[in-house]
């Protein structure tokens, strides 16, 4: 629960702590972009202890998670590369042992059709990667020159960019496959490349199919990234209606897939035709080679599943948001966190940095090896009496003046009411070796006293029962004399 606690807060001047300091530039001073994710992770304890906004503390765990995610992708890529090398060696061995004369490939025509479509998709993916940019269009809208307009190239770049953002929201696996395809050599494309693209294509009946991108609402497109891009160019928040209207007029709400969307259906059909031709048995392969190819395809299919199981999409999304918030906050306060980095240095390192930052002006013995405060980008280093020199008299006068002015502040405290957390407690005495022997003896005596009282009560009950039986026997004998014993 919470209770309102009343505190008396008083301030008093401590004259003996008044000292002369030298201001030097912080040798650990960094600009906002210099606070990289790796640097924040390497100095997590320093940043966590100096964090100005406690709500951003979970951003450190998000940084670690995203770094682990990137490492996992690298490791899986290395494993796949090693697997391909082993497959190549095995295929070479099988080919060397095979018959020198091989029948022509009956599925060659279908394979060529697959590669033709794949090259078109490669061209579209390369276009998306090279020309997807919304900043040029938004900058021209900001100029508000309707005569000149946005321009066709800038408009198309913005539409490419929106399609990429929508893919990231609806079909991230397909976007990753497109990016990987664009990085391949056009002349080195293979059936395996086409199969990787086809595997990443969402099903036509899926809620997140490629066709569903055309049905996304304006709000969903803004959530995918367009809204954040617009806000970067808005001067004030009430311009939102004007900006969204202008973006609609310039067709920036209409994604352009560079022809990739329609080509995916052709690629699927071409692959089905090629596989059907192979299934006819016209093109025979060695059983071992077929088995290894199937295993390689299964490995490729399971890569995304392995990453999804280890790093769920919703957790990755939350981690990216937390990372952006934490890194942005640290970049907004570079002087504060640079000061924290300096304070985290060892005493020997601090002395070395102070000597370097002073340019040789401060020497050992002229300053105390510590920093007491910061002023913007500069650090306050207290000087020793030797360095203060002729300022000793001034300091004494200043102490007397401040003591006279502030001497009675402690006798005028302020009443402050602060919410204070509280806890309900109920004490329970248990066996403890730290308890006094008197307490333990008292508990034993209490128990024995209780037992004696119980025994006494039982004895009195037994005596009363015996008296009842005696009187019953006298009545049976018709002895009606008084029951009292004895007489005059």
């Amino acid at each position: 629960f919470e209770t309102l606690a009343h505190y008396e807060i008083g301030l008093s001047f401590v004259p003996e702590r008044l000292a002369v300091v030298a201001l030097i530039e912080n040798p650990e001073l960094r600009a906002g972009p210099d606070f990289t994710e790796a640097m924040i992770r390497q100095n997590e304890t320093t940043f966590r202890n100096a964090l100005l906004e406690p709500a951003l503390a979970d951003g450190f765990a998000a940084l670690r998670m995203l770094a682990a995610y990137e490492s996992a992708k690298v490791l899986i890529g290395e494993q796949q590369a090693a697997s391909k090398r082993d497959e190549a060696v095995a295929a070479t061995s099988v080919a060397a042992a095979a018959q020198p004369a091989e029948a022509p490939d009956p599925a060659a025509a279908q394979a060529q059709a697959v590669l033709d479509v794949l090259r078109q998709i490669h061209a579209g993916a390369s276009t998306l990667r090279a020309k997807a940019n919304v900043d040029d269009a938004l900058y021209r809208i900001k100029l508000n020159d309707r005569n000149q307009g946005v321009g066709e190239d800038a408009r198309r770049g913005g539409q490419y960019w929106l399609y990429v953002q929508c893919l990231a929201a609806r079909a991230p696996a397909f976007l990753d496959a497109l990016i990987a395809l664009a990085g391949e050599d056009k002349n080195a494309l293979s059936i395996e490349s086409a199969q990787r693209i086809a595997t990443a294509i969402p099903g036509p009946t899926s809620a997140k199919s490629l066709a569903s991108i055309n049905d996304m609402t304006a709000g969903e497109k803004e959530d995918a990234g367009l809204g954040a891009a617009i806000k970067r160019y808005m001067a004030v928040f009430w311009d939102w209606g004007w900006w969204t209207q202008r973006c609609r007029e310039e067709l920036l709400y209409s994604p352009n897939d560079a022809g990739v969307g329609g080509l995916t259906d052709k690629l699927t059909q071409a692959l089905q035709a090629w596989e059907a031709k192979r299934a006819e048995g016209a093109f025979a392969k060695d059983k071992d080679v077929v088995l290894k190819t199937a295993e390689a395809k299964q490995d490729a299919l399971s890569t995304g599943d392995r990453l999804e199981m280890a790093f769920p999409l919703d957790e990755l999304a939350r981690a990216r948001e937390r990372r952006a918030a934490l890194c942005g906050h640290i970049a907004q306060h570079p002087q504060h966190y640079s000061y924290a980095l300096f304070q985290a240095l060892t005493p020997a390192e601090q002395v070395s940095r102070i000597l370097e930052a002073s340019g040789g002006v401060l020497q050992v013995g002229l300053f105390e090896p510590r920093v007491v405060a910061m002023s913007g980008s500069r650090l306050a280093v207290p000087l020793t009496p030797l360095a203060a020199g002729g300022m000793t008299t001034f300091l004494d006068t200043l102490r007397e003046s401040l003591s006279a002015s502030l001497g009675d502040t402690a006798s005028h405290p302020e009443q402050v009411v602060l919410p204070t957390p509280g806890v309900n407690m109920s004490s329970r005495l248990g066996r403890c070796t730290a308890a006094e022997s008197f307490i333990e003896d008292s508990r034993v005596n209490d128990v024995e006293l209780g037992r004696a009282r119980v025994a006494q009560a039982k004895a009195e009950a037994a005596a009363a029962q015996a008296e009842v039986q005696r009187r019953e026997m006298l009545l049976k004998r018709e002895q009606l004399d008084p029951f009292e014993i004895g007489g005059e």
Side-chain angles (χ1 to χ4, degrees), residues 59-246:
F60 296 106
L63 286 175
R64 294 196 298 270
M65 177 182 180
L66 294 175
Y69 176 66
E70 296 300 326
S71 298
K73 291 198 294 185
V74 172
L75 288 174
I76 290 178
E78 293 175 352
Q79 294 173 357
Q80 290 179 336
S83 177
K84 289 181 179 179
R85 289 194 296 269
D86 295 341
E87 292 169 10
V89 172
T92 302
S93 301
V94 172
Q99 295 294 332
E102 288 190 7
D105 182 5
Q110 289 76 10
Q112 185 60 43
V114 171
L115 294 178
D116 291 341
V117 178
L118 184 61
R119 291 190 182 97
Q120 298 179 47
I121 296 178
H122 179 275
S126 301
T127 299
L128 290 174
R129 188 177 69 168
K131 297 183 178 181
N133 180 22
V134 75
D135 290 321
D136 291 343
L138 293 178
Y139 176 74
R140 293 175 181 271
I141 291 177
K142 184 177 181 180
L143 295 178
N144 198 20
D145 187 354
R146 292 183 177 269
N147 294 328
Q148 183 178 2
V150 169
E152 187 61 30
D153 291 341
R155 180 183 297 108
R156 189 177 295 110
Q159 293 172 338
Y160 289 155
W161 177 88
L162 179 59
Y163 183 71
V164 171
Q165 298 300 117
C166 292
L167 276 184
R170 287 294 180 92
F174 180 65
L175 176 60
D176 293 341
L178 279 182
I179 295 175
L181 179 65
E184 296 185 25
D185 185 1
K186 179 180 179 180
N187 298 321
L189 298 178
S190 61
I191 293 295
E192 288 74 15
S193 303
Q195 290 173 329
R196 286 194 292 270
I197 288 291
T199 302
I201 298 174
T205 59
S206 172
K208 295 185 177 182
S209 64
L210 297 182
S212 68
I213 293 179
N214 297 325
D215 300 329
M216 291 178 64
T217 64
E220 291 175 332
K221 295 173 183 177
E222 292 165 358
D223 292 340
L226 182 58
I230 292 175
K231 290 178 181 177
R232 291 201 305 267
Y233 288 85
M234 280 173 44
V236 289
F237 69 90
W238 54 76
D239 285 347
W240 174 257
W242 181 87
W243 270 93
T244 54
Q245 179 61 29
R246 287 288 292 120

Side-chain angles (χ1 to χ4, degrees), residues 114 117-118 121 194 197-198 201 263-271:
V114 171
V117 178
L118 184 61
I121 296 178
I197 288 291
I201 298 174
L263 291 172
T264 54
D265 295 336
K266 293 184 178 180
L267 179 65
T268 303
Q269 296 172 2
L271 274 174

Side-chain angles (χ1 to χ4, degrees), residues 430-448:
R431 182 168 183 81
C432 177
T433 57
E436 298 179 3
S437 58
F438 172 78
I439 297 177
E440 295 184 353
D441 293 343
S442 298
R443 295 182 64 188
V444 172
N445 294 336
D446 290 340
V447 173
E448 291 180 353

Side-chain angles (χ1 to χ4, degrees), residues 343-421:
Q343 292 287 64
L345 297 176
T346 63
E349 290 176 324
Q350 290 187 17
V351 171
S352 176
R353 296 289 201 282
I354 291 174
L355 293 174
E356 294 174 0
S358 68
V361 175
L362 295 179
Q363 297 295 328
V364 176
L366 298 180
F367 65 93
E368 298 180 17
R370 60 192 180 95
V371 172
V372 296
M374 61 171 283
S375 177
S377 63
R378 295 179 294 179
L379 304 177
V381 181
L383 301 180
T384 61
L386 177 62
M391 298 187 66
T392 304
T393 304
F394 168 73
L395 286 178
D396 293 338
T397 303
L398 184 59
R399 287 192 184 97
E400 295 176 359
S401 176
L402 292 177
S403 297
S405 301
L406 306 175
D408 61 343
T409 55
S411 60
H412 298 85
E414 295 184 0
Q415 298 288 337
V416 179
V417 179
L418 297 177
T420 304

